[in-house]
Amino acid sequence: MSLDTFTRRGPFLGVFLLAMATLMHEVLLTRIFSVTMWYHYAFAAISVAMFGMTVGANCVYLFPNHFAPERSKRHLTHYSLWFSVMIVLSFALYLRIPFADPAEFSAWVFGRIALTYAVVSIPFVFSGIAICLALTRFPSQVSRIYASDLAGAALGCPALVYLLEVLDGPSAVVFIALVAASSTFFFAGESGSVGVRRAAYVVALGFIGLVVANAWLAREGEAFLRLRWVKGGMEGKPLYEKWNSFSRIHVQGNPDEPVPPESWGSALGIGTRPPIRRLSLWLDSTAQTHLIGHESDERRLEFLKEDVTAFAYHVRTITDVLVVGTGGGRDVLTALQFDAARITGVEINRNVLHAVNVRFGDFTGHLDRNPRVQFINDEARSYITRQKGRFGLIQIPMIDTWAATAAGAFVLSENALYTVEACTAFLEKLKPNGMLSITRWHVQSSPWEISRTITLVLEALKRVGAKDPRDHLLVISAFPPLSDVGVATVLASRSPFALSELYRAEGVAARMRFRVDISPRSASTPLFESLASGRPLAEFSEDLPVTLAPPTDDSPFFFNMLKFSHVLDREAWGAGPVAFNQKAVFALGALLLTATILTLAFILLPLWLRAERPAFRTGLPLFLLFAAIGIGFMLVEISQLQRLTVFLGHPTYSLTVVLFAILLSSGLGSFLTRGIVNPAFVGVVLFLLLLGSLTVYGCYTPRLVEEMRGESTGIRILVAAAILSGIGIFLGMPFPLGMKAALVRSPKLAPWLWGINGATSVLASILAVVIALLWGISVSFWAGLGCYVVATLAFIWSCLQEGYSTVPKPNYPFTSEGESVMEVTADHPED
């Protein structure tokens, strides 16, 4: 049996399944973290996975006697099986760890974050060992192995999307463990490990039984493997639960018990209103919307007319309405109360529509059967952009409060609805007297969120040709008695508000105890007056703790507005999503600190202590090469995750499309390097082609994205996949080219290089978010290009070193000390 080559095709399929299971588990954790923890911790799953895999690669380097080359095939069999088992065991342990998002970070809080980080990373350690062995112990086949690795990871993305349509999250974890166990069969066929193969059969059968039983019991809310600690508290049994790649929704409440009506945008006491039947629908256990029971007496729903979210109906008669994000159908009911003739509700989450109109359709009165109502399952911005008709009202009624951000995971808090380009597109789709209505939280002591909404709308009005944007603007707010936190609605009209409409608006506001914050004739505060008058922000916002500049598609972080100098000033945070986002910034810092400490302690320090100093000095260009590749790849990848979230409309789309397209095309690029025997010359050419493709991509993609924004979701996904594949082919070439060069010099360096690449990737996964927050998505991308420039120079440096042959020799035998002839020859060129 050949020790350093695979003699069958099975191991390549084993690597494919191993990588698929690894990526599926990694992405599924982002979905689960969005439910169990606050959304700003969700993106840590990517960092956790890379950390665990890098620690696994380190183990290969630190324990050379245990991981002797002649045992590599057997170890692949063993550790792939352990990976599958640890997926389930670590997840079961994670479900028992209570996690609460704290107001302030302390040693205790940091300890809980580190514990969660460590527990979740355990299975990835075993995956990292197996994949490191596959990529470093079979040098003549590294291109094919790396291609199998990337192809498996790429197909894991769409596979998970479909898996969550069938199974709940915890059951999906077990299914992924089954995929990982399947890889063991193929490795065992190569290594001849009969006993391990039998154990894999037992484990696989156990996982099959566990998946079936847990998924069946989950339908009744009785699953033994289920989420218990959610957002720091124990979650009760829901009436209904459904997962998909967008979110996990669950419905709670008693459908037969009348309760007092609830309104977050009313300043009137509604305690005297007749009770209604109501259920609560939660998205990721964070964002709440209501399913209001069908009532034969329509007067029970009149409280909807007294909400500030419905203020547009009091200003003008509206016949056709488009509601962005229908949720439980409350705003559709409001439009029906005002006798709108045509109501279009656009909801991106299919499970929400199913819950409202099918699962609880009898309860809600089947709004979808009303001839005046049409529900559309689509992303709102692209749907509106491609409509030929015009609307009398486009309403965005706080639909993203935390729903979009809770699902945002890796891309933190960007939102495609709250950018200048989006608002401009909405205004262009209004009738001549149509209105855009945006409702947001309003905190009187720190009115930052509503102020930024105002600057956003004013800039959009300028772009559609409004001569004096203030004449087109109304801002109405509602505060419960003695409360600092309320709700405000910003109305932007295509035509200036008539004097009669202003009188009507002021009269309704007085009757309902609303406050007119901005109108063409007045403003309630000096800040609002400065905003409405169009004064340059620099003239009056210098002393504010926040930046009120309107977000753009390149920097779509609407809630990230606190200035760096006031990050530690908690009084400046205010309340609502802005304060929530600042906690996300702190979480980002805590995660960066955690990742840095764990990376130093478990990756770089052990490598440094074990490093052979001569090899370390001569390998410096290779270390720089693999560090630059690790940082550059993550900066490019994550910047495109963020950019395409705006383009495609949801983080799930961008995560799936980016990972699938880049990983699959990178796998193809790696495969294309399999025949390269002299990476010194060809490698330099390929590096230069990579730099050229990234430059063209960075210059022309934003323009192409803007031109294609109005296409259907399917077309936009195809466009995104196509343009990503163009650079992905070249992104897949540096790693195998560098590994070939490293394996020629010294196979002992290979785990070192894997560890450095992984360590820098761990930190870059968080650094990319920081760069985008501070300077924009484009800067993050161009920084990634800069890293590949460094990688190119490092590759050239390594090729020019004296006494270094770059011609790999396949099928190297091993010496009695476990050292390959390839290594001996590289260390002693004269031999």
Side-chain angles (χ1 to χ4, degrees), residues 420 452 455-456 537 541 546-552 555 557-558 561:
V420 173
R452 200 172 203 192
T455 62
L456 174 65
L537 291 175
S541 63
V546 296
T547 176
L548 299 180
T552 63
S555 185
F557 306 99
F558 177 82
M561 60 183 78

Side-chain angles (χ1 to χ4, degrees), residues 512-533:
M512 295 187 176
R513 300 177 187 174
F514 296 155
R515 188 177 74 192
V516 180
D517 280 319
I518 294 179
S519 78
R521 303 193 300 177
S522 64
S524 62
T525 68
L527 173 61
F528 289 154
E529 177 61 36
S530 297
L531 292 173
S533 63

Side-chain angles (χ1 to χ4, degrees), residues 429-565:
K429 292 299 179 179
L430 294 174
K431 292 180 177 180
N433 65 338
M435 291 181 290
L436 172 65
S437 172
I438 302 177
T439 303
R440 299 296 326 158
W441 293 106
H442 185 5
V443 183
Q444 296 188 77
S445 57
S446 52
W448 316 136
E449 183 178 344
I450 195 63
S451 296
R452 200 172 203 192
T453 306
I454 293 168
T455 62
L456 174 65
V457 170
L458 288 172
E459 179 61 29
L461 284 169
K462 292 178 183 177
R463 294 196 179 188
V464 296
K467 294 181 179 180
D468 187 351
R470 182 170 185 167
D471 291 340
H472 302 248
L473 184 68
L474 273 176
V475 181
I476 312 295
S477 58
F479 295 91
L482 304 178
S483 175
D484 184 52
V485 180
V487 172
T489 292
V490 178
L491 293 179
S493 172
R494 279 306 304 265
S495 60
F497 286 106
L499 188 59
S500 60
E501 293 172 336
L502 296 179
Y503 281 127
R504 187 183 308 125
E506 291 168 354
V508 172
R511 186 174 70 253
M512 295 187 176
R513 300 177 187 174
F514 296 155
R515 188 177 74 192
V516 180
D517 280 319
I518 294 179
S519 78
R521 303 193 300 177
S522 64
S524 62
T525 68
L527 173 61
F528 289 154
E529 177 61 36
S530 297
L531 292 173
S533 63
R535 289 178 59 194
L537 291 175
E539 292 184 3
F540 63 90
S541 63
E542 183 176 347
D543 296 331
L544 297 178
V546 296
T547 176
L548 299 180
T552 63
D553 282 351
D554 188 60
S555 185
F557 306 99
F558 177 82
F559 300 111
N560 186 59
M561 60 183 78
L562 200 65
K563 294 177 181 176
F564 186 77
S565 58

Side-chain angles (χ1 to χ4, degrees), residues 128-184:
I129 290 174
I131 292 179
C132 178
L133 289 172
L135 288 174
T136 62
R137 295 298 170 83
F138 307 94
S140 64
Q141 298 171 315
V142 65
S143 294
R144 293 178 62 190
I145 295 171
Y146 191 52
S148 299
D149 171 53
L150 293 177
L155 292 180
C157 300
L160 180 64
V161 172
Y162 288 107
L163 182 63
L164 286 176
E165 295 291 336
V166 179
L167 298 176
D168 59 285
S171 297
V173 170
V174 183
F175 184 89
I176 292 170
L178 175 62
V179 174
S182 301
S183 69
T184 304

Side-chain angles (χ1 to χ4, degrees), residues 743-764:
L743 290 174
V744 169
R745 164 166 298 184
S746 175
K748 286 186 176 180
L749 282 177
W752 233 117
L753 300 175
W754 177 277
I756 290 175
N757 182 265
T760 53
S761 297
V762 170
L763 299 180

